[in-house]
Amino acid sequence: MIDWTANYGFFLNEEHAMLRKTVRDFAEKEVAPYIQEWDRKGASHDAGMAEHMIPVIKRMGELGFLGVCIPQKYGGAGFDYLGLAVVCEELERVDTTLRVILSVHTGLNSLAVFQWGNEEQKQKYLVPQAKGEKIAAYCLTEPNAGTDVAGMQSTAVLEGDHYVLNGEKTWISLSDLADHFLVVAYTDKGKKQRGMTAFIVERSFEGVETTPIHGKLGVRAGNTGSVVFKNVRVPVANRLGDEGEGFKIAMTALDNGRYTVASGATGLIQAALEASLKYSKERETFGVPIGNHQLVKRMLSHMILNLETSRMLCYRAGWLKNQGIRNTRETTLAKWHATVESFNAANDAIQIHGAYGFSDEYPVERYLRNSRGAVIYEGTRELQELLQADFALEERSYKALRCELPAYDEAAWNE
Amino acid sequence: MHAVVCVKQVPEQNSVKITPDKKVDASGINPIINLFDEYAIEEALQWAEKSNGQVTVISLGSDDATDSLKKALAMGANEAVLISDAALADVGAQGAAKVVAAAIKKLGNVDIVFCGKQSTDDETGQFGPALARFLGWPQLTYVFKVHELTASSIVVDRALEDTLETVESSLPVVVTAVKDLNEPRYPSLLKIRKVSKQPIPTWGLSDVGLSVGDLGGTIKISDRVPPPPRPSGEMISGDVQTQVKALVQKLVESQVL
Ligand SMILES: Cc1cc2nc3c(=O)[nH]c(=O)nc-3n(C[C@H](O)[C@H](O)[C@H](O)COP(=O)(O)OP(=O)(O)OC[C@H]3O[C@@H](n4cnc5c(N)ncnc54)[C@H](O)[C@@H]3O)c2cc1C
């Protein structure tokens, strides 16, 4: 059997290989045996908030996955940004809900605090998050504002040493399980994107309420919901960055979140391919295994092509992060390609499985349902497409940021 | 306390394919630590942690067995030694035990050796007992619980075919572990980062004071066949009543019930 993760030595080293084995071992032993049951449970309309995920997240925290690429002095494991991709690939190879945890907790929230937070904020929020003692979420989307971020209605009004936060965020992953929320709201609506500010809000603050969303097509084993902020008093010390920097913070957070989504989607393509290869050898029609039929071979070949191109695009984005080079273009390209192709791979995997693929006795229909969300969240397919052309037509370019994501520095990460 | 754990790198069972010319297809093999050795590592680590002791892992194998040694180091072992020598390519369990015994003597001051009850590739189950003989130490095989381990003695439960035995032994001693002796931990991410770059000392035959003549007989595998494919199952149709009736009848017919 081909090891689909081999021969990436130009990006990955022995450390990554050991990390991969550890994460795979965890996901296969501690999640794979239960995932069908959890996924089924999540389909019900009174599914609750996926409480079964609480011990799983705790375990991932103890094992260091949640702070994999955070420096040791902030409670992390000190791997580089490619390590984050490896973890995401292996988690989503088993189930998307596992990778979603890395996306919002690590990619969108923790790395934003790492990039933009002051030392006090890093000690107070990043350290417990990197260790997995506290769970973090990211709140940008609102009932009436997704792609059009500027359409948001949440507001934060400064009153002395507090901001008073009001608004509703929805489709928030881990909404009911998180302790800390990174929230973007208007402090000056007239200034549009430049009038947005980011805050770290704790669940324990008065006026924070969350409710799970039921009836989801995918990520049923995980928790997604709404967060309502009603006159929540947020200390000024919990403002992340300056007033007016909220949009930039939200977008740079997405540079990291999308990277985790793309890497995860790569893992899902691999899972679809592995399931399809196995079935292609087992199932026989017309006296031969179905893998002997050319049209089945074509589906397998396309999965392989898209697996490897997705993986390379992801690793390139990760390599750029390691170098401290801005990578919105490369990351969105990876995210667009990997997520769209993960849906196609899952779709073909169902085709290869015939009627059995249409049943949840096999995992491939779960892959399809799970892959669909990633074509929408963290920037829809259309948004990623537009971005590519915008960069090429020079309608979009990078402007220097007050705080860049630090380049990976092994010595500093080991301190 | 200084514990040594003997670790064998073996192919993951479902990854082994046999080529038409009766060789093992190396390309498809996923190398892992022998299942029973993982329990041995964990047990050694737990007792070493309690007594501020040391754990050294030893593997006799090809150069790529460093992968397994590094995993053991990332789990928490302090030192690792690879024994690798072209002369050991076809060595059997007895010869391997002799070489590892010599290595353990070379390390010196070893109080206890943990190994798995058998390896999942050769399945001879001889290594642990042979090692005890070459060391001249008592052996406690099939251990499923270690009650007590002090500087001078150990109390364990042994799982025998139809008896459970509680045994006390003096140290030094060789212990072989069965499945579920404990729950092996995952490697720590911080340690992975440390050990991935760590060179592992490699000892050849002469480093442990032996030569080819000391090894005794070698083993040659003269034939290899894959196990016969399992016959496909039979689906029983009908409503639950009919299905259960038919199933029970089949179980009785095949003398399962
Ligand atoms: C499972 C899941 C988890 C999520 N988790 C989070 C989370 O943790 N935090 C968070 O903040 N959000 C989260 N979201 C929300 C997600 O980011 C948004 O759904 C996404 O940004 C799209 O916004 P929307 O749903 O409002 O769609 P809309 O913005 O209303 O878009 C609708 C359609 O119009 C298209 N469209 C919009 N504008 C344009 C344009 N200019 N040109 C071309 N086409 C356009 C879109 O591509 C899309 O096809 C999650 C969503 C899902 C499904």
Side-chain angles (χ1 to χ4, degrees):
Chain A
M1 218 175 64
I2 295 177
D3 174 1
W4 299 107
T5 64
N7 300 338
Y8 284 95
F10 51 102
F11 282 121
L12 304 186
N13 55 35
E14 195 178 336
E15 224 170 81
H16 297 115
M18 289 181 80
L19 174 66
R20 182 186 299 284
K21 273 196 180 154
T22 307
V23 180
R24 181 173 295 191
D25 216 21
F26 160 81
E28 286 184 346
K29 262 195 215 143
E30 300 194 22
V31 178
Y34 314 104
I35 193 61
Q36 184 196 49
E37 178 197 330
W38 292 345
D39 192 77
R40 279 180 182 168
K41 208 162 89 184
S44 118
H45 274 262
D46 52 2
M49 53 186 211
E51 290 87 346
H52 52 256
M53 274 298 162
I54 297 171
V56 175
I57 299 176
K58 189 164 171 269
R59 198 87 175 93
M60 285 165 61
E62 287 164 359
L63 293 171
F65 301 169
L66 300 183
V68 59
C69 58
I70 307 286
Q72 290 187 33
K73 70 170 171 186
Y74 294 123
F79 276 84
D80 63 359
Y81 298 108
L82 285 163
L84 177 60
V86 169
V87 174
C88 291
E89 282 177 15
E90 290 304 322
L91 291 177
E92 190 152 0
R93 186 175 158 273
V94 168
D95 194 67
T96 303
T97 51
L98 295 178
R99 190 271 305 151
V100 167
I101 297 164
L102 263 283
S103 290
V104 300
H105 175 94
T106 310
L108 290 168
N109 186 314
S110 300
L111 284 176
V113 178
F114 178 50
Q115 179 171 357
W116 294 90
N118 57 37
E119 192 56 32
E120 200 179 314
Q121 290 168 335
K122 287 181 192 165
Q123 291 301 334
K124 187 165 178 192
Y125 294 106
L126 180 57
V127 171
Q129 287 175 198
K131 291 183 179 166
E133 294 163 358
K134 297 283 181 196
I135 306 307
Y138 172 87
C139 305
L140 186 65
T141 306
E142 299 191 358
N144 293 309
T147 309
D148 180 14
V149 177
M152 73 165 56
Q153 284 162 7
S154 294
T155 55
V157 179
L158 184 62
E159 284 181 12
D161 58 356
H162 282 77
Y163 286 88
V164 178
L165 175 67
N166 277 289
E168 179 179 354
K169 299 289 180 178
T170 192
W171 285 104
I172 305 307
S173 307
L174 303 185
S175 59
D176 301 282
L177 307 178
D179 303 292
H180 303 157
F181 302 92
L182 176 60
V183 185
V184 181
Y186 273 117
T187 41
D188 186 347
K189 206 157 184 186
K191 288 194 187 156
K192 287 268 191 170
Q193 289 164 353
R194 291 205 170 88
M196 291 177 189
T197 304
F199 301 93
I200 304 169
V201 179
E202 297 182 25
R203 174 181 297 278
S204 60
F205 292 176
E206 214 180 308
V208 179
E209 251 179 53
T210 64
T211 35
I213 292 174
H214 293 139
K216 289 179 294 186
L217 174 69
V219 289
R220 288 177 176 167
N223 165 256
T224 323
S226 298
V227 188
V228 175
F229 304 98
K230 229 183 255 165
N231 293 319
V232 178
R233 288 171 63 80
V234 183
V236 170
N238 281 40
R239 189 188 67 217
L240 187 66
D242 294 337
E243 268 197 21
E245 279 185 332
F247 185 77
K248 282 183 193 160
I249 293 175
M251 292 305 122
T252 53
L254 284 166
D255 279 344
N256 300 323
R258 285 169 184 163
Y259 172 61
T260 62
V261 174
S263 310
T266 305
L268 193 145
I269 300 176
Q270 187 174 324
L273 172 64
E274 286 171 350
S276 300
L277 285 171
K278 183 163 183 280
Y279 196 77
S280 297
K281 290 182 199 160
E282 288 168 3
R283 178 74 174 179
E284 292 193 0
T285 64
F286 304 98
V288 292
I290 57 167
N292 284 25
H293 303 305
Q294 287 188 347
L295 293 178
V296 173
K297 281 189 178 157
R298 184 173 65 182
M299 288 190 268
L300 296 171
S301 306
H302 281 222
M303 284 184 211
I304 293 163
L305 172 64
N306 291 315
L307 170 64
E308 304 227 19
T309 48
S310 297
R311 185 163 269 149
M312 278 197 267
L313 288 175
C314 288
Y315 290 169
R316 178 177 63 164
W319 181 83
L320 288 170
K321 288 177 199 295
N322 280 348
Q323 308 305 310
I325 299 170
R326 287 281 283 286
N327 50 78
T328 308
R329 187 180 76 80
E330 291 81 1
T331 297
T332 49
L333 189 64
K335 196 267 182 186
W336 172 32
H337 180 64
T339 57
V340 168
E341 292 309 336
S342 72
F343 177 76
N344 290 335
N347 197 19
D348 276 348
I350 292 180
Q351 197 65 20
I352 287 174
H353 283 70
Y356 293 101
F358 198 67
S359 139
D360 76 354
E361 290 299 325
Y362 283 85
V364 288
E365 64 85 35
R366 176 166 51 85
Y367 299 160
L368 180 89
R369 289 185 288 100
N370 282 347
S371 68
R372 194 61 188 84
V375 185
I376 298 167
Y377 54 67
E378 301 212 26
T380 62
R381 175 182 61 203
E382 291 68 33
L383 183 84
Q384 320 292 336
E385 284 190 65
L386 290 174
L387 273 170
Q388 293 312 312
D390 288 351
F391 271 112
L393 294 166
E394 293 171 47
E395 287 171 21
R396 175 184 279 268
S397 60
Y398 295 123
K399 288 165 202 78
L401 296 169
R402 191 174 60 79
C403 304
E404 302 279 2
L405 182 71
Y408 179 67
D409 172 346
E410 189 168 1
W413 260 241
N414 282 342
E415 263 171 35
Chain B
M1 185 194 78
H2 183 192
V4 163
V5 188
C6 303
V7 172
K8 185 176 186 188
Q9 183 159 301
V10 298
E12 192 177 21
Q13 266 169 322
N14 59 17
S15 72
V16 179
K17 297 255 161 8
I18 294 164
T19 59
D21 57 344
K22 312 270 184 204
K23 296 225 164 63
V24 173
D25 176 6
S27 68
I29 282 180
N30 181 24
I32 57 167
I33 294 182
N34 175 40
L35 172 80
F36 302 104
D37 301 352
E38 291 234 6
Y39 299 101
I41 297 169
E42 178 62 34
E43 199 64 22
L45 291 175
Q46 286 185 15
W47 287 101
E49 278 158 9
K50 279 182 204 157
S51 66
N52 244 333
Q54 282 277 317
V55 176
T56 303
V57 281
I58 297 185
S59 185
L60 186 156
S62 52
D63 287 348
D64 65 357
T66 48
D67 285 357
S68 290
L69 290 174
K70 284 189 175 177
K71 181 176 178 188
L73 288 170
M75 287 168 79
N78 307 87
E79 305 282 343
V81 178
L82 173 70
I83 304 174
S84 186
D85 197 309
L88 294 170
D90 291 320
V91 74
Q94 296 280 333
K98 194 167 192 184
V99 176
V100 173
I104 289 169
K105 283 182 195 149
K106 178 173 164 155
L107 284 172
N109 292 325
V110 174
D111 302 298
I112 185 165
V113 175
F114 288 95
C115 42
K117 71 159 173 140
Q118 70 193 64
S119 57
T120 55
D121 55 353
D122 291 336
E123 309 243 26
T124 69
Q126 291 179 36
F127 179 86
L131 181 69
R133 204 197 92 204
F134 288 120
L135 287 167
W137 298 356
Q139 53 176 295
L140 300 173
T141 48
Y142 307 112
V143 169
F144 77 96
K145 184 158 180 61
V146 178
H147 288 286
E148 195 184 285
L149 176 57
T150 68
S152 56
S153 70
I154 183 169
V155 181
V156 303
D157 286 342
R158 299 179 62 222
L160 305 180
E161 212 145 279
D162 46 15
T163 347
L164 297 179
E165 232 180 45
T166 304
V167 194
E168 183 175 344
S169 164
S170 59
L171 300 191
V173 66
V174 175
V175 170
T176 77
V178 299
K179 197 164 168 279
D180 297 333
L181 169 61
N182 48 46
E183 202 178 307
R185 68 193 69 186
Y186 294 95
S188 130
L189 263 51
L190 288 176
K191 290 194 178 112
I192 285 178
R193 300 205 37 248
K194 240 191 239 144
V195 306
S196 63
K197 292 184 197 73
Q198 184 176 321
I200 290 186
T202 304
W203 293 351
L205 253 190
S206 60
D207 294 311
V208 297
L210 296 177
S211 57
V212 181
D214 298 319
L215 294 178
T218 56
I219 302 235
K220 283 258 185 261
I221 292 169
S222 51
D223 194 15
R224 268 194 191 94
V225 284
R230 262 201 263 173
S232 59
E234 183 184 342
M235 295 298 285
I236 301 172
S237 53
D239 61 19
V240 176
Q241 292 289 334
T242 332
Q243 281 182 358
V244 171
K245 237 188 218 146
L247 177 63
V248 171
Q249 197 181 341
K250 285 199 185 297
L251 290 174
V252 171
E253 274 168 18
S254 56
Q255 296 186 332
V256 175
L257 289 181

